[in-house]
Amino acid sequence: MSQIDVINFADTPSLVSRYIREMRDVNIQNDPVRFRLNLNRIGEIMAYEISKRLDYCNEQIATPLGNAVCQQLKDQVVIATILRAGLPFHHGFLNFFDRAENAFVSAYRRYREKGDQFEVVVEYMATPNLDGKTLILVDPMLATGSSMELGYRALLKKGTPAKIHVCSVISSRQAIEYVCNTFPTDKTTIWTAAIDPAINSKSFIVPGLGDAGDLAYGVKDEE
């Protein structure tokens, strides 16, 4: 039985390590411009690495001095984002896949009146048809994996992608296992910049970096 390939950027030292450090550091992360920039940068790097796994065809073009054979991307790419922290991360992917189609899913935690229990609610979705396309699902924090799965299930109403790339900045081990057990193993790849060991009682990644949405866009009113 095939297994989902998990690409952890922390396994190989690179500039991604510096960006992750700045995003985690309580003395640096409260600069929202820098935080969003680092999300964007990691999105760009992941997009480049994903591009190496896509399909291309040769195309002959005319230059001022003759003809040249160049490679043209065959895959039809759709970048799908879980709102709201995913927006600057999404933009990093779009900088590289600049002709990609885009999809957006509003998925959030609805906490019960007492305790830390919650359900994930999908309220809004905008997407092109996905049949036969390469779906890149991006969400900076992959804590439990349930939001990512529900977003994916909602998107399936608009077609079945040929390939799936699940992308996060920081993931918990539990979420990685969850995605491996719930996404199709024959066409899914997981990309993450770091894998942390645990989640707390509120399902936040530990050590993580806090609430990525608040750090990127300001604290939201919980009422």
Side-chain angles (χ1 to χ4, degrees), residues 46-83:
M46 283 192 181
Y48 174 71
E49 293 300 324
I50 289 172
S51 75
K52 298 177 183 179
R53 297 193 173 204
L54 303 184
D55 294 327
Y56 296 80
C57 61
N58 289 333
E59 182 179 87
Q60 183 168 286
I61 63 167
T63 80
L65 300 176
N67 295 319
V69 175
C70 299
Q71 289 191 328
Q72 177 72 17
L73 182 65
K74 288 176 61 178
D75 292 49
Q76 291 181 277
V77 174
V78 178
I79 307 168
T81 294
I82 310 296
L83 299 175

Side-chain angles (χ1 to χ4, degrees), residues 113-127:
E113 291 184 6
K114 295 182 180 181
D116 299 327
Q117 298 298 313
F118 63 87
E119 60 178 341
V120 177
V121 180
V122 175
E123 278 196 345
Y124 169 83
M125 181 178 68
T127 179

Side-chain angles (χ1 to χ4, degrees), residues 137-174:
L137 271 167
V138 306
D139 190 1
M141 308 301 288
L142 193 64
T144 65
S146 55
S147 295
M148 188 71 81
E149 185 204 6
L150 283 179
Y152 168 65
R153 300 295 177 196
L155 289 165
L156 287 179
K157 296 175 184 177
K158 299 298 182 178
T160 303
K163 303 173 188 174
I164 305 162
H165 296 274
V166 175
C167 304
S168 67
V169 174
I170 299 180
S171 307
S172 73
R173 293 192 186 281
Q174 174 181 323

Side-chain angles (χ1 to χ4, degrees), residues 180-216:
C180 286
N181 290 328
T182 55
F183 278 66
T185 58
D186 59 335
K187 57 184 179 182
T188 302
T189 305
I190 299 173
W191 304 78
T192 187
I195 300 176
D196 284 359
I199 57 175
N200 63 18
S201 61
K202 294 184 178 292
S203 295
F204 280 94
I205 301 172
V206 179
L209 51 76
D211 190 308
D214 287 356
L215 290 166

